Amino acid sequence: MDIYNEHCLPHLTNCVCGMKPLARQRALIVPQAQGDVLEVGMGTALNLPFYDKEKVSRVWGLEPSPGMRRAAAENVKRSGIQVEWLDLPAARIPLGDATVDTVLLTFTLCSIADWQGALAEMRRVLKAQGRLLFCEHGAAPDASIFKWQKRITPWWKHAAGGCHLDRPIPTLLKTGGFGILEMDEDYMGGVPRIAGYTYRGSAAKR
C-alpha cells in the first residue's frame, strides 16, 4: 500500500483533482486567500494558479506525503510562488499560535483521518481576525444519494487516499470551533453526484 500511496496515488490525484469541474470550484475560493496562508493538504499544488499574488505574502504548504510533494514540484515551479513545505500531518502543524491570516482547505477535509485534531490545530494557528476558506465535497442532502455515499465510502477511501464521500462538512467545521460566515452548496457539474456535492465558503474562529 505504501508503493501505491507514494507513487501511484499522487499522479492519480493530480489527474483527477485537476479536472475542469474542480478547477472551476478552486477559482471561486482560492483568490480570496490573503496574507500569510496555510494551505492544508496541499497535495500536488493544484491551487497555486488561482492565488492572487498581490494579496498573498507567503504560502505554507502542509503536506505529509513525500510522493505528493514530488509530484507538486512542476506545478510549484510553473506558478512562480514560493512555497514553504511543512511535512507533518494536519494534527501537528509546526507553526506558532495565531501566526496565519488564511487557512485554505480544498478537497482535503474529506481525507484527514484525525479531522478533530486537524481543525483544532488550524484554529490554534489562525489569527483572531483570520479566515478559514473551504471548498470541500461531502454529504449530499438527497437521501437516495447520501445512502449510496454511505455504502461506497468504506471501500472508496482505500482507493482514494482516505477520502470519505459522506462527511457533513459544515458540522465538522462547527464541531472544530469555527463559525461559518458564508457558504454556498451545490452539485458540481460534470462530476457524478455521489462525489460532487460541494460546500464553499469562509469561517472564523469562535
Side-chain angles (χ1 to χ4, degrees):
M1 198 63 177
D2 286 341
I3 293 176
Y4 175 76
N5 285 334
E6 291 302 321
H7 297 282
C8 300
L9 186 60
H11 297 288
L12 178 63
T13 299
N14 196 53
C15 291
V16 174
C17 291
M19 294 169 57
K20 287 184 179 179
L22 278 75
R24 288 194 289 267
Q25 297 292 318
R26 297 176 194 278
L28 294 172
I29 203 75
V30 178
Q32 299 178 44
Q34 58 184 346
D36 290 335
V37 180
L38 170 64
E39 184 173 334
V40 178
M42 194 167 195
T44 59
L46 292 170
N47 283 329
L48 289 180
F50 302 103
Y51 278 104
D52 183 340
K53 295 180 183 179
E54 298 299 316
K55 298 196 307 187
V56 172
S57 305
R58 88 170 97 187
V59 176
W60 284 295
L62 189 73
E63 179 50 63
S65 166
M68 290 290 185
R69 297 196 301 273
R70 285 194 300 271
E74 187 58 35
N75 289 334
V76 173
K77 180 180 178 182
R78 191 161 46 235
S79 75
I81 294 176
Q82 185 68 38
V83 175
E84 296 182 37
W85 288 109
L86 306 175
D87 62 355
L88 288 174
R92 294 166 54 202
I93 299 175
L95 295 174
D97 296 353
T99 53
V100 171
D101 297 295
T102 306
V103 173
L104 179 64
L105 280 171
T106 61
F107 306 108
T108 298
L109 199 53
C110 62
S111 61
I112 298 176
D114 182 9
W115 61 265
Q116 298 99 323
L119 286 170
E121 279 289 272
M122 293 179 221
R123 190 178 185 281
R124 178 184 66 80
V125 302
L126 189 63
K127 293 178 180 178
Q129 302 304 316
R131 292 292 179 264
L132 182 147
L133 302 175
F134 60 94
C135 180
E136 297 284 344
H137 75 111
D142 301 286
S144 59
I145 295 175
F146 182 66
K147 176 180 68 177
W148 281 103
Q149 288 179 319
K150 296 288 287 184
R151 287 179 177 176
I152 292 174
T153 288
W155 64 264
W156 174 278
K157 64 184 181 181
H158 291 296
C163 173
H164 293 66
L165 297 169
D166 58 351
R167 283 188 168 170
I169 301 302
T171 300
L172 267 57
L173 292 172
K174 292 172 185 175
T175 302
F178 290 93
I180 294 175
L181 301 173
E182 56 184 355
M183 185 175 71
D184 295 316
E185 50 184 296
D186 50 32
Y187 287 102
M188 273 190 284
V191 174
R193 287 196 159 200
I194 197 169
Y197 196 77
T198 307
Y199 300 86
R200 294 180 310 278
S202 64
K205 295 166 66 167
R206 286 188 301 179

